């Protein structure tokens, strides 16, 4: 298996990873001394980028303890590339994805160049959950997560009036309490609008 040396990674949960231009100083960066890389088909890359997946036990054994970082050995970690994009994943002992990291632009370009002569290989994996392809910014993703969590809490506490008030801020058609809750959650999960910032402000003020 080919190896890549001296890169910086910024691991986050698979569904929360950010592009390099959204990294900030408070992130926990991992300085990689060497890490295995697999060059795969473009279609497989697309599947891996937007899903939680499980790699085969054979591949898991192949990458075990092969990634060295400034913080020590990472038990199961791997770079994947299709020749256009490079991304890193960590896996648990069952081979299921735990974390994901993009690369800094210049380092990604260097890895792509280095991988030009690598042989394309088959990757044996199983998709466990697909994530929607979104173009939310990091700030928008964080706002989305907070809103969903807070509205869920209101629902669990049976705070009908508060949810109805939030619903009326977004929609005009009156519905039952469970329907208003579901409509709010569905909308926030699928898209973000300017008015959602005002929802966040309303909830925050109500909590004070």
């Amino acid at each position: 298996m080919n190896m890549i040396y001296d890169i910086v990674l910024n691991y986050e949960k698979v569904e929360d990873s950010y592009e390099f231009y959204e990294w900030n100083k408070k992130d926990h960066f991992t300085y990689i001394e060497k890490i295995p890389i697999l060059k795969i088909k473009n279609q497989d890359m697309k599947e891996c980028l937007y899903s939680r997946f499980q790699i085969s036990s054979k591949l898991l054994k192949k990458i075990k303890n092969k990634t060295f970082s400034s913080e020590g050995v990472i038990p199961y970690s791997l770079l994947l590339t299709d020749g256009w994009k490079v991304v890193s994943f960590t896996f648990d002992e069952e081979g299921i994805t735990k974390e994901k990291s993009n690369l800094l632009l210049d380092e990604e370009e260097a890895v792509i160049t280095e991988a030009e002569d690598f042989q394309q290989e088959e990757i044996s994996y199983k998709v466990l959950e697909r994530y929607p392809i979104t173009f939310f910014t990091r700030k928008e993703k964080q706002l989305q997560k907070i809103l969903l969590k807070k509205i869920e809490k209101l629902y669990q506490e049976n705070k009908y009036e508060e949810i109805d008030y939030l619903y009326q801020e977004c929609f005009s058609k009156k519905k039952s309490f469970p329907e208003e809750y579901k409509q709010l959650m569905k909308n926030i999960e699928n898209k973000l609008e300017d008015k959602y910032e005002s929802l966040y402000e309303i909830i925050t003020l109500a909590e004070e």
Side-chain angles (χ1 to χ4, degrees), residues 9-134:
L9 297 176
N10 184 15
Y11 285 119
E12 297 281 354
K13 290 180 181 179
V14 172
E15 66 272 24
D16 292 334
S17 66
Y18 310 112
E19 292 292 345
F20 75 92
Y21 50 79
E22 292 193 288
W23 294 5
N24 65 49
K25 293 179 181 178
K26 293 182 180 179
D27 291 340
H28 182 75
F29 299 112
T30 304
Y31 297 89
I32 301 295
E33 295 169 12
K34 70 173 183 177
I35 183 172
I37 183 171
L38 200 62
K39 189 174 184 179
I40 61 176
K41 295 176 183 177
N42 179 256
Q43 185 58 42
D44 289 329
M45 189 70 171
K46 287 179 180 177
E47 288 276 21
C48 294
L49 283 174
Y50 301 109
S51 67
R52 185 169 68 92
F53 62 94
Q54 182 178 26
I55 58 175
S56 66
S57 58
K58 182 179 179 181
L59 178 56
L60 193 66
K61 288 177 184 176
K62 201 172 180 181
I63 65 173
K64 185 177 181 179
N65 296 332
K66 294 289 176 65
T67 298
F68 292 82
S69 77
S70 56
E71 299 173 7
V73 175
I74 300 176
Y76 302 105
S77 186
L78 174 69
L79 284 178
L80 294 177
T81 184
D82 60 353
W84 295 95
K85 174 78 176 170
V86 184
V87 66
S88 180
F89 292 94
T90 65
F91 305 87
D92 65 16
E93 293 181 351
E94 300 297 319
I96 298 171
T97 48
K98 289 171 55 181
E99 301 167 306
K100 173 182 169 185
S101 175
N102 290 293
L103 277 67
L104 293 168
L105 182 60
D106 59 337
E107 293 186 353
E108 181 175 48
E109 290 175 346
V111 171
I112 288 171
T113 299
E114 190 168 345
E116 283 180 356
D117 297 327
F118 293 172
Q119 185 175 353
Q120 190 178 85
E121 300 180 59
E122 293 292 329
I123 178 172
S124 178
Y125 66 97
K126 177 171 65 175
V127 173
L128 304 177
E129 179 183 3
R130 285 187 170 83
Y131 300 120
I133 299 174
T134 67

Side-chain angles (χ1 to χ4, degrees), residues 158-195:
N158 296 319
K159 294 186 176 178
Y160 305 151
E161 290 184 4
E162 285 90 337
I163 286 184
D164 180 63
Y165 185 83
L166 296 172
Y167 175 84
Q168 295 297 331
E169 287 288 310
C170 301
F171 310 101
S172 56
K173 186 179 179 181
K174 186 71 176 174
K175 294 186 177 183
S176 68
F177 167 63
E179 288 176 328
E180 289 184 352
Y181 159 74
K182 289 177 183 177
Q183 183 71 49
L184 266 176
M185 295 291 280
K186 182 179 179 181
N187 248 56
I188 294 170
E189 283 175 356
N190 294 323
K191 62 181 179 179
L192 276 174
E193 302 175 12
D194 292 340
K195 59 190 171 190

